[in-house]
Amino acid sequence: MTDLTFRYVAYTDVGLRRSKNEDSGYASRRLLAIADGMGGAAAGDLASASAMDVLRGVDRDLDGDALTALQVSVEQANIRLGELIKADPAVEGMGTTLEAMLWDGEKLAVAHLGDSRMYRLRDNSLAQISTDHTFVQSLVEEGKLTPAEARVHPHRSLLLRAMLGRDDNEADFSWIQPALGDRYLLCSDGLSDMVADQLIERAMQSDSIDLAATELVRLALEGGGHDNVTVVIAEFIDADADPDDTLSCADGQPQLVGAVAEERRPPTGRSTAGTDRHPPAADLDEEALRYAPRPPGRRPWLRFTAVVLVLAAIIAAAAFGGYRWTQTQYFVAESDGRVAIYQGVPFDVPGITLNRVDEVSQIEVETLPAYSRSQVEGGIEAQNRADAEAIIANLEQFVAPRPTPTPTESPTEKSA
Ligand code: CA
């Protein structure tokens, strides 16, 4: 059997809409990794950089099993996030996705957590080898959505699992056996959201992985560049093959990109406000809304969408008789401590109430894990009533056991 080794490259771009890079990427002769920070103003860059900083400590001569080493490293990264949050409550709610591949000389130990992705190009054919830990992916698995519908679903970025510095939300670990010629891609959703798999496949077939990386980032920008985009690529070659001096990995040095490679900001989501180049509106930008768990009582999604919906409501009022239009809308939010479906739009105009509680579920908001709780408190937009019901059914899986009936099993995390 041929001894294998791999070439590698890491490449990132802040994108066309975002003002800072919250992704971190790493590639070396042993380790490939991506972390996509979340939390908007609450320091997504700090989360991804800190997790990556800890994780890359595993890039050294292995003492024992690679999968165990990776598990320990991922756990340490999570503990680190927890410490940062404890030390500075302003960054509460920050978190990160994590994809990592650790080479033991024969096979890859793999960690996967969140909605960043891993793809393999084998015999010129691309396959996604990770399963998104997202709400829409769970609907796909239940047969309620097709993959094509999931791609354009308004909640496609709602994460079911991410690294949040807590003791839930565990990563998936597995082994992969690479073959000669395989190319592996780790990417943030800034690529997979913007670029169809067929185009990713074609780019991955480029003459070299360096060309593939630049082409993928170019495609993401061409596709809109709504988000930070980060790609890490490895290509498995014969360990005895002559080195290719034209490649960026020819120097054998690790490549570190994105937030983890940038100057570290002070460890708080607030104190940089005065020096931030970006207007406060950045707090409510698209990325913050996509992921950001928010402190109780704030409804960023509602505030942001209110502007859009007011305009839409005015237009609809002219066209269809506004009130009736608003009553065809649904959202999920809190009502007297329970998760509820609201009919209407999530704001009132003076003198008119535009929403009402349609149905109150049995779910007490405080029994939800912090991440789900903050989503409810922030309000979750639904496409229609059935969608609102699906959102609630999904939340039910995260309800913590009540102290009194003493169930013996812990709640089952949705396995993706
Ligand atoms: Ca992202």
Side-chain angles (χ1 to χ4, degrees), residues 3-267:
D3 278 343
L4 295 178
T5 186
F6 61 87
R7 297 164 170 157
Y8 55 88
V9 61
Y11 194 38
T12 192
D13 194 284
V14 69
L16 303 175
R17 303 256 186 105
R18 303 278 298 150
S19 49
K20 67 180 177 188
N21 200 333
E22 299 192 338
D23 287 357
S24 293
Y26 186 84
S28 75
R29 286 182 287 191
R30 293 191 190 88
L31 179 67
L32 310 162
I34 286 264
D36 176 355
M38 67 194 73
D45 52 345
L46 178 67
S48 87
S50 305
M52 190 63 79
D53 249 347
V54 173
L55 187 74
R56 68 196 175 104
V58 81
D59 181 12
R60 56 177 186 268
D61 284 330
L62 280 171
D63 179 22
D65 176 70
L67 198 60
T68 307
L70 191 58
Q71 282 168 332
V72 169
S73 190
V74 168
E75 190 179 327
Q76 287 169 341
N78 188 48
I79 289 170
R80 178 80 187 120
L81 288 200
E83 289 168 350
L84 288 169
I85 291 166
K86 200 173 170 191
D88 182 2
V91 299
E92 168 89 53
M94 74 173 180
T96 186
T97 72
L98 197 67
E99 306 297 304
M101 293 179 164
L102 180 63
W103 178 237
D104 73 354
E106 289 182 358
K107 53 197 185 306
L108 289 165
V110 176
H112 164 59
L113 181 57
D115 69 347
S116 297
R117 287 184 174 178
M118 293 184 272
Y119 291 89
R120 177 179 61 211
L121 185 80
R122 179 175 282 178
D123 301 329
N124 279 328
S125 170
L126 188 81
Q128 184 183 336
I129 55 174
S130 60
T131 306
D132 297 347
H133 294 147
T134 56
F135 174 51
V136 292
Q137 178 61 32
S138 71
L139 295 182
V140 169
E141 282 163 22
E142 288 164 22
K144 291 176 180 164
L145 278 185
T146 66
E149 288 165 343
R151 264 194 86 77
V152 295
H153 195 281
H155 308 311
R156 64 184 177 279
S157 292
L158 275 184
L159 287 174
L160 296 188
R161 274 196 266 168
M163 180 178 285
L164 300 168
R166 307 196 313 244
D167 55 6
D168 52 359
N169 284 259
E170 303 224 324
D172 295 336
F173 293 95
S174 57
W175 287 105
I176 284 179
Q177 180 60 63
L180 184 67
D182 278 356
R183 286 180 176 183
Y184 291 88
L185 165 66
L186 283 63
C187 67
S188 57
D189 63 347
L191 178 72
S192 49
D193 249 21
M194 294 291 129
V195 184
D197 283 2
Q198 300 94 307
L199 291 175
I200 294 177
E201 179 178 80
R202 201 177 308 159
M204 284 291 287
Q205 296 164 350
S206 300
D207 287 345
S208 75
I209 54 170
D210 286 22
L211 286 172
T214 50
E215 175 63 4
L216 287 169
V217 170
R218 190 190 69 75
L219 287 169
L221 300 180
E222 192 178 87
H226 292 190
D227 196 2
N228 309 142
V229 52
T230 304
V231 297
V232 167
I233 307 176
E235 176 179 41
F236 279 82
I237 57 169
D238 186 335
D240 296 326
D242 291 333
D244 182 345
D245 292 337
T246 66
L247 292 176
S248 61
C249 66
D251 61 6
Q253 294 302 306
Q255 298 179 14
L256 192 61
V257 298
V260 69
E262 286 162 16
E263 197 178 8
R264 213 52 49 76
R265 60 194 248 165

Side-chain angles (χ1 to χ4, degrees), residues 188-404:
S188 57
D189 63 347
L191 178 72
S192 49
D193 249 21
M194 294 291 129
V195 184
D197 283 2
Q198 300 94 307
L199 291 175
I200 294 177
E201 179 178 80
R202 201 177 308 159
M204 284 291 287
Q205 296 164 350
S206 300
D207 287 345
S208 75
I209 54 170
D210 286 22
L211 286 172
T214 50
E215 175 63 4
L216 287 169
V217 170
R218 190 190 69 75
L219 287 169
L221 300 180
E222 192 178 87
H226 292 190
D227 196 2
N228 309 142
V229 52
T230 304
V231 297
V232 167
I233 307 176
E235 176 179 41
F236 279 82
I237 57 169
D238 186 335
D240 296 326
D242 291 333
D244 182 345
D245 292 337
T246 66
L247 292 176
S248 61
C249 66
D251 61 6
Q253 294 302 306
Q255 298 179 14
L256 192 61
V257 298
V260 69
E262 286 162 16
E263 197 178 8
R264 213 52 49 76
R265 60 194 248 165
T268 171
R270 302 272 180 270
S271 70
T272 52
T275 55
D276 203 336
R277 287 179 291 118
H278 319 302
D283 278 11
L284 296 177
D285 67 12
E286 210 174 329
E287 180 71 359
L289 296 168
R290 290 178 57 178
Y291 290 123
R294 290 281 170 162
R298 297 174 63 195
R299 293 195 171 185
W301 172 78
L302 303 188
R303 275 184 284 147
F304 174 81
T305 325
V307 178
V308 178
L309 287 180
V310 165
L311 291 173
I314 290 168
I315 294 164
F320 308 113
Y323 179 79
R324 271 171 58 194
W325 173 81
T326 65
Q327 298 313 296
T328 64
Q329 308 299 303
Y330 290 89
F331 61 101
V332 172
E334 181 177 353
S335 172
D336 286 337
R338 288 179 189 266
V339 179
I341 297 175
Y342 282 78
Q343 183 178 19
V345 289
F347 59 92
D348 294 327
V349 294
I352 311 173
T353 301
L354 291 179
N355 59 62
R356 63 174 189 84
V357 175
D358 185 52
E359 185 180 338
V360 180
S361 76
Q362 293 302 309
I363 306 173
E364 290 174 31
V365 176
E366 65 175 17
T367 63
L368 291 169
Y371 183 63
S372 307
R373 194 165 65 228
S374 59
Q375 286 182 327
V376 171
E377 284 160 350
I380 304 173
E381 183 186 9
Q383 278 187 315
N384 49 44
R385 199 177 190 292
D387 188 33
E389 285 168 11
I391 290 168
I392 286 186
N394 180 60
L395 287 168
E396 255 160 21
Q397 302 170 77
F398 296 101
V399 172
R402 306 297 294 160
T404 29

